[in-house]
Amino acid sequence: MLDSEYDLLLSGMNESFNQVLSTAEYPLLRRFLSRQAASQESGWEGASQRDWEQLDTLFHTLLTHFGRYTRMAVVDAAGREWVVTSELPLQSRPPVVVHDANDTFHKAMILHSRDLYVSSPRLGASGEEESPVTPVIDIATPITDERGERLGVLMFTLDWSRLTRSLPHARGNQGQALLVDAQGQWLLPDGGDSDASFGQPLSTRWPAAWAAMVARNQGSITLDDHLLAFRSHDLRTQHYRSQAGMIISDSGTQPWHLGILMLRPSFWGLLSENPVQLLAIVLVYLLSMAFGVFWGLNNHRLRGLRQQALTFSREARQYAGEVQDLYEHAPCGYHSLDSEGRVIRINRTELEWLGYRADEVIDKRHYRDFVTPESREAFDAAFQKVLGEGQEGGTECELLCRDGTRLPVAIQGKAHVTEEGFQYSRTMVFDLSERKAMEARLEQQALTDPLTGLGNRRALEDQAAMEIARAERSGAPLSLVAIDLDHFKRINDTYGHDVGDLVLQAFAELARELLRDGDVLCRIGGEEFAILLPNTCKEQAMQVAERLRRAIAATPAKISQAMKEDTTLAYTASLGVTLVSAGETTLKPAIKRADQKLYAAKEAGRNRVHREDA
C-alpha cells in the first residue's frame, strides 16, 4: 500500500509538472507577452485581443480536460496578471491585476527556463461556485523568449484534494494514510480521523509516528496496536521522472513524509477471520511430524539432501557470477565512493569510458579528479547531498578521459547507510553523448535553410549580434548586402518550382565560392538573401556586391535535373548595400536600409547595385 501510495502521488505531481512546463513553451504565450512588453496598456491592438481570446480558449480547454486545476494565470514581467480562467462571458479585453506583491510570482521570476516553483499545500478556493475552502498547491514557471529573457510567469493552481482522492487510502478502509511536511504539518485534506485535520501537527496526534518518520528516510515500526510503514520524498531533488530542470519550494517544507498506519493483526484475530487458517496450521503440524518420522526411518536420504545442497551451492555461485558479470558489463557506469569521495569500486564499463585500469583507480583516485573543472562544482554539490540528510543526489557533468576527450554524463547517487552511519555511495552513470549530439544537430537544423544549406534568418540575427558587439569593441566597419533574384516569380511560373529551387541552390553555391571565410551568407526569405561583411567599409562592400552581381549574370544555373536535358537558365539579381551604423544594437535598421536600396535598384532596371548614399 505504501509503494502504491507513493508511486501514484509521485506520478500525479510529475504529470502536473510536465503539463505546466509544456504549456509554458506554447508560442502563443510568448507572442502575447512579447506584445504586452512592447506596448503600453493604452496600446491594446486587435492582434493582442485575438491572442488573448485564443489563450482564454486554450486555458478553459485545459481546465475542462484535466479537471485537477482550479486556476490558471499568466503574469507579465511587470507584475500584471492576465487571468484567462474566468467563467464570466468573454470580455473585449481581459482585466489587468497588479501581481507584483505575490510571493509565487517573485520566486518564479528568478528561475531559469524549465525550472519550477512549487508551494506547499495551503487552503484556498476550489474554483467552483459556492465550493468550500480546500487545500491547493501553486505551481509556477517562468515564460522565456527564444533568447532566454523572462517575459513573465505561468501559474497553475492544483486542487490538492482532487489529486489525493485518487490515492489507494481514499478508496478503502484497509489503512490510514499519513502525509506531513518537514515541520510535521498535516497535508491531507481529510485525515480519516476526527483528530486529524489539514495543517495540524502530527506530533499532537501520533507523537511516536512523527518521531520515527523524522529520524529516518524510510522504514517501518510498531506503535502499540498499530503498524506504521513510511518513507520520505523531496520534490527539490527527487523529480528525475519529470521534465523539470530544477524545483524550488518554500523553505522548511521539504521533504514530505508519507506513511500508512494499520491495526496490527493478532494470531487469534486472524484465525477468527478465517477458520481455514487453523485447519491449515494443524495440517502443517501433522505433516511436519510425519516428515520427522519419515526422516528418521530413511536416514539414507540425508546423503541425497547433502548432494542437493551442494548443487544449490554451485547454482548460487553461478548466479553470483552472473550478477557480477552484469555489474561489470552493464550499459551504464557503476561506482561506489567513500565519505571522502575516493573510488572504492567501479565497473568495467566506466573504466573503459575513462581509459583506466581498475588497479589505477580503486582506493587511489578521488572521483572528482575525473570531473572537468567547469562541472566540478555541480558534482561536489550533488555529492554533498548524498552525504547529507537527503542521502541522494544527481547532476549532469563532464568526465575527462585519459585520452583528453570529454564525456557528458548524468550521475545519480544514493547513500548506503547502516546503523553505524554512512558506509559508501552507490552511483549510476549514464552516457549522454548521443543525446548531446542530437541536441547539437537539432540546434544546427534550427539555424539552417534546408534547401540551400545556408543559415536562415535566425542564424543571421545570432551572428549579427556577435559581429555588432565585436565591431563596437574594435571600431571596425560592418557592412550588409541585401540580395533579391530578379523575376524569380516568373521563373517559378514558367518552369516550375523545381527549377526555381535549382536556381536558388546554384546562387548559394556561386556566392559561397566568391565570399571570404568570415563573411556570413544567409537566406532570409523565398528569393531574398543577405550577406554580413565584417571589417568591410561601404566602398569595399560595394566592390563585393558588384563582383557578385557580375558573376551571377555571367553564370547561368544548371537546370538539367528538372528539365531532363542539358539545360541552363540565365538569371540576374539586384543588390542593396549599407553600413551598420554605430550604436545600432540589432540588424533590423540596416536590413531596412539595404532593402530600400535593393528596391531602388529594381526600379532603376534590375541587375544592378545601389548603396545607401547613392
Side-chain angles (χ1 to χ4, degrees), residues 387-407:
L387 297 177
E389 294 182 0
Q391 298 179 358
E392 189 170 345
T395 188
E396 291 187 8
C397 60
E398 284 188 322
L399 299 181
L400 186 60
C401 302
R402 190 169 202 162
D403 59 3
T405 60
R406 297 189 173 202
L407 178 68

Side-chain angles (χ1 to χ4, degrees), residues 354-494:
L354 295 172
Y356 290 88
R357 300 190 312 272
D359 59 344
E360 295 177 311
V361 177
I362 296 177
D363 295 328
K364 295 180 181 179
R365 300 287 296 272
H366 288 77
Y367 192 80
R368 75 188 305 270
D369 295 340
F370 300 115
V371 180
T372 60
E374 296 82 1
S375 57
R376 195 166 290 166
E377 182 178 352
F379 169 79
D380 291 339
F383 187 60
Q384 289 303 315
K385 291 181 180 179
V386 175
L387 297 177
E389 294 182 0
Q391 298 179 358
E392 189 170 345
T395 188
E396 291 187 8
C397 60
E398 284 188 322
L399 299 181
L400 186 60
C401 302
R402 190 169 202 162
D403 59 3
T405 60
R406 297 189 173 202
L407 178 68
V409 296
I411 295 179
Q412 188 67 37
K414 190 173 183 180
H416 177 69
V417 181
T418 65
E419 295 180 354
E420 298 177 356
F422 177 87
Q423 299 299 312
Y424 53 84
S425 68
R426 293 180 294 192
T427 305
M428 294 184 294
V429 183
F430 301 95
D431 184 357
L432 301 182
S433 299
E434 293 186 3
R435 195 191 82 179
K436 295 295 185 181
M438 177 63 72
E439 292 174 352
R441 288 196 296 271
L442 292 176
E443 179 66 21
Q444 181 62 31
Q445 291 174 3
L447 298 174
T448 303
D449 172 46
L451 177 63
T452 63
L454 301 176
N456 56 18
R457 179 179 289 271
R458 179 182 170 188
L460 177 65
E461 293 174 352
D462 291 349
Q463 189 66 29
M466 293 187 292
E467 294 297 342
I468 289 174
R470 184 181 293 114
E472 185 71 20
R473 293 192 301 269
S474 65
L478 179 63
S479 295
L480 177 70
V481 179
I483 307 167
D484 189 277
L485 303 188
D486 296 331
H487 299 299
F488 190 75
K489 183 177 184 302
R490 184 186 303 171
I491 294 175
N492 279 334
D493 293 343
T494 303

Side-chain angles (χ1 to χ4, degrees), residues 25 27 52-53 70 138 153 187 254 296 312 345 360 579 584:
E25 293 184 352
W52 179 81
E53 292 174 355
T70 67
D138 293 326
V153 172
L187 299 182
Q254 296 290 332
F312 291 154
R345 190 176 183 184
E360 295 177 311
L579 191 68
E584 292 180 346

